[in-house]
Amino acid sequence: MASFVEIDRCSHLISLPLTSLNACPCRPSSNKILIFTQKQPPKLNVRIVFNRPKFTLRVRQTGIDTNRRMISAVARAEPDHLDDGNLKEGIDNGHKLVVSEKSVSDSGSQQKASQLRKRIGFGLGIGIFVGGVVLAGGWVFTVCFAAAVFVGAREYFELVRSRGIAAGMTPPPRYVSRVCSVICAFMPILTLYFGQIDVSVTFAAFVVAMALLLQRGNPRFAQLSSTIFGLFYCGYLPCFWVKLRCGLSAPALNTGIGVSWPILLGGLPHWTVGLVATLISFSSIIAADTFAFIGGKAFGRTQLTSISPKKTWEGTIVGLGGCIATTVVLSKIFCWPRYLPSAIVFGFLNFFGSVFGDLTESMIKRDAGVKDSGSLIPGHGGILDRVDSYIFTGALAYSFVKTFLPLYGV
């Protein structure tokens, strides 16, 4: 007489001793039945049928739709050879496996939820702080910005010295990295004080290059290139935000918010083209990242580039639409820029700069072999992880407003 075990609606691996089914000497007692099913099969029935010399496995679809985990085991054999103790022990082990896997799954879900709450909480806190700094402008904005630049520069040079990048090149000496971080931090302050930093950046690059060339040992071109790029990436490019926020001091005359702005906080003159342009740029970048994330999760199929495997063309297109839409809506609220085509172009430039900056930092981290540039911000990583989308965008936004908008878009 044939003996078989039938498992219905099982989403786990169950190990049952073969001796629990039949104690016949022709079947070795050391064998076990291993039953594999998919983790969440909506409609599945597995039947293992043992005949004396061989066994067959039959899998067929059924009309059973399960929304919960359940194990059902039925053993049939000759009454003389049925070992109830071993059968019960095997089924108990299967139940323990279910409970163990469920507890691990629940623990992972709780950890992800905790990380998401932490990420949202710190993100909101950072957003409120940055909004206040942008509204304050002047030295408050510049000093806070210089502090962020210093931390970002330190993270960059640590990435350059990491095992992944240093394995293929010679990193700059540590003292040069520290000096460059300080130089990058002073660049926004010099930009506010002098209005431009072209001469300062050129002089700093010359001094750093001479220090590298005259160092002891064997100077390498990789040291020079990574250091000069660090001055450009972490120091020169961020200074355009200071030029945009503090340099474009023409009043945004058509902005309705400025009319009702308290005199103690600066009144109407406080609302300049630089302030409005900075607020719109920051908001559109946040919208681009948010919509790209949502679009990628919902529709993402086609990979954008191998630099960042999680980015997709579908998410990028959704992010572009969200960025332009946010720019247009805010342009209507602030009445700047006055014309719709200008707002659309401004939104496109903001999006292009944010994507390019994000991919650049992803390439650096990939070569360094790290996931985050640092651990300063819980749930977010380092400073570079948060501001990578802003590094190139400031230069594009300032150039567009300064060069292409008649009367700065007023």
Side-chain angles (χ1 to χ4, degrees), residues 174-324:
R174 190 171 293 275
Y175 75 91
V176 174
S177 301
R178 293 172 178 173
V179 170
C180 288
S181 299
V182 175
I183 293 175
C184 291
F186 273 101
M187 285 185 184
I189 298 175
L190 295 176
T191 301
L192 180 66
Y193 188 79
F194 293 107
Q196 52 85 26
I197 57 168
D198 296 339
V199 177
S200 302
V201 171
T202 304
F203 178 75
F206 176 77
V207 172
V208 171
M210 291 301 299
L212 289 172
L213 293 174
L214 298 178
Q215 65 176 314
R216 294 180 180 180
N218 189 15
R220 298 288 185 179
F221 176 73
Q223 297 176 324
L224 181 63
S225 60
S226 61
T227 303
I228 298 301
F229 179 77
L231 291 175
F232 172 76
Y233 182 71
C234 300
Y236 180 73
L237 286 176
C239 289
F240 281 95
W241 285 112
V242 178
K243 288 185 175 183
L244 180 66
R245 171 62 185 92
C246 305
L248 300 180
S249 56
L253 300 176
N254 298 320
T255 302
I257 298 178
V259 176
S260 58
W261 193 251
I263 298 178
L264 294 177
L265 298 179
L268 178 61
H270 182 76
W271 284 85
T272 62
V273 171
L275 172 58
V276 175
T278 304
L279 289 175
I280 293 178
S281 292
F282 277 28
S283 301
S284 62
I285 293 172
I286 295 173
D289 291 341
T290 304
F291 279 94
F293 176 78
I294 297 175
K297 286 291 185 181
F299 312 107
R301 295 294 184 273
T302 309
Q303 187 181 73
L304 177 63
T305 174
S306 59
I307 295 176
S308 184
K310 292 184 178 181
K311 288 182 173 57
T312 62
W313 277 105
E314 293 81 3
T316 302
I317 294 174
V318 174
L320 174 61
C323 181
I324 294 178

Side-chain angles (χ1 to χ4, degrees), residues 9-69:
R9 293 170 289 178
C10 177
S11 60
H12 301 277
L13 167 64
I14 304 173
S15 176
L16 298 178
L18 191 60
T19 56
S20 64
L21 300 181
N22 201 322
C24 178
C26 67
R27 300 193 181 105
S29 60
S30 60
N31 291 339
K32 292 185 177 182
I33 306 172
L34 296 180
I35 301 171
F36 297 87
T37 63
Q38 296 179 357
K39 187 174 181 180
Q40 293 180 347
K43 299 177 182 180
L44 184 64
N45 176 280
V46 179
R47 180 185 293 263
I48 300 180
V49 180
F50 284 90
N51 295 320
R52 293 199 178 265
K54 299 181 180 180
F55 70 90
T56 59
L57 173 65
R58 301 173 186 171
V59 181
R60 62 184 178 83
Q61 298 292 331
T62 67
I64 301 175
D65 190 1
T66 177
N67 292 320
R68 61 191 179 93
R69 297 171 177 171

